[in-house]
Amino acid sequence: MTDVHLWWIGADAPDNELLDDVRRHVEVAFGVRARHYRHTDRPVHAFDHRRGQHSSTEILRWLVQRGIPAGRVLAITDGDLFIPILTFVYGEAQLGGAAAVVSTARLWPDPDVRPDPVLLRARAVKECLHELGHTFGLLHCPLPQCVMSRSVNVTEVDAKLPVLCSDCVQRYREQLPRKGELP
């Protein structure tokens, strides 16, 4: 069984309810064991002072170099993420790889309004499942309610359900190693 390690790498204290929600949803959606990974290291080099954001690609490189135990690592942060060609990203993952990162920074777009913690956690869970799905080899899904659909704004995140559609479940099952095969 593949393990998924959930690692809070944010500046603020971790939201343990969020991490527990993510853990539960990951275990149900992918049939894997998810556990908290606690470490004080942070990818401080990934902060781009010019943009005032963190490079999600640099965070992924850093996660892989950390040598997390067998399985996958899903880093969750409150830092704002970017890739050079986009203003921001909710997250990024290695397609078919071992690492993913998700940010809560843009999941509540109005800084003048106190976030609804339940809605913020629901959005974060969906984005965590989405990015983790990429590590399992899943691509973007055309169905807006599938957690693997692309999201460019929180309205699209809200339209998703925190589950894979039946087609994505089938694709996920097809890529799993068969008994006797190495993962």
Side-chain angles (χ1 to χ4, degrees):
M1 175 184 282
T2 299
D3 282 342
V4 173
H5 303 277
L6 306 175
W7 186 358
W8 177 260
I9 60 167
D12 289 340
D15 178 341
N16 290 317
E17 287 184 58
L18 167 64
L19 292 172
D20 285 340
D21 281 354
V22 170
R23 182 187 54 74
R24 284 190 298 276
H25 280 85
V26 163
E27 289 179 344
V28 169
F30 297 106
V32 298
R33 182 176 47 216
R35 57 181 67 180
H36 300 283
Y37 181 82
R38 298 192 196 318
H39 203 288
T40 58
D41 284 353
R42 298 293 183 265
V44 293
H45 74 286
F47 186 73
D48 183 313
H49 291 279
R50 185 177 46 82
R51 290 183 70 139
Q53 295 172 291
H54 300 267
S55 166
S56 56
T57 305
E58 282 302 315
I59 292 172
L60 291 179
R61 284 190 193 111
W62 179 81
L63 288 167
V64 170
Q65 292 170 355
R66 298 288 305 141
I68 302 300
R72 287 169 171 74
V73 61
L74 171 61
I76 305 168
T77 182
D78 49 9
D80 197 13
L81 301 177
F82 78 94
I83 59 174
I85 62 169
L86 294 175
T87 306
F88 75 93
V89 291
Y90 295 124
E92 184 181 359
Q94 295 176 310
L95 185 61
V101 60
V102 170
S103 170
T104 61
R106 300 277 179 139
L107 294 175
W108 194 262
D110 189 345
D112 297 326
V113 176
R114 182 183 167 118
D116 172 348
V118 174
L119 182 55
L120 184 62
R121 280 196 302 273
R123 289 172 175 167
V125 162
K126 293 173 192 180
E127 290 308 301
C128 287
L129 291 174
H130 178 93
E131 296 304 337
L132 195 56
H134 287 317
T135 71
F136 286 113
L138 296 177
L139 301 174
H140 287 137
C141 180
L143 298 176
Q145 70 274 20
C146 179
V147 80
M148 290 309 300
S149 68
R150 183 185 314 264
S151 299
V152 297
N153 56 51
V154 292
T155 302
E156 291 176 351
V157 175
D158 291 342
K160 296 185 202 184
L161 298 173
V163 294
L164 299 170
C165 71
S166 58
D167 288 345
C168 287
V169 167
Q170 183 62 33
R171 284 186 207 99
Y172 173 67
R173 287 182 179 152
E174 288 171 357
Q175 61 80 35
L176 289 174
R178 291 170 180 74
K179 283 188 176 182
E181 290 181 9
L182 295 174

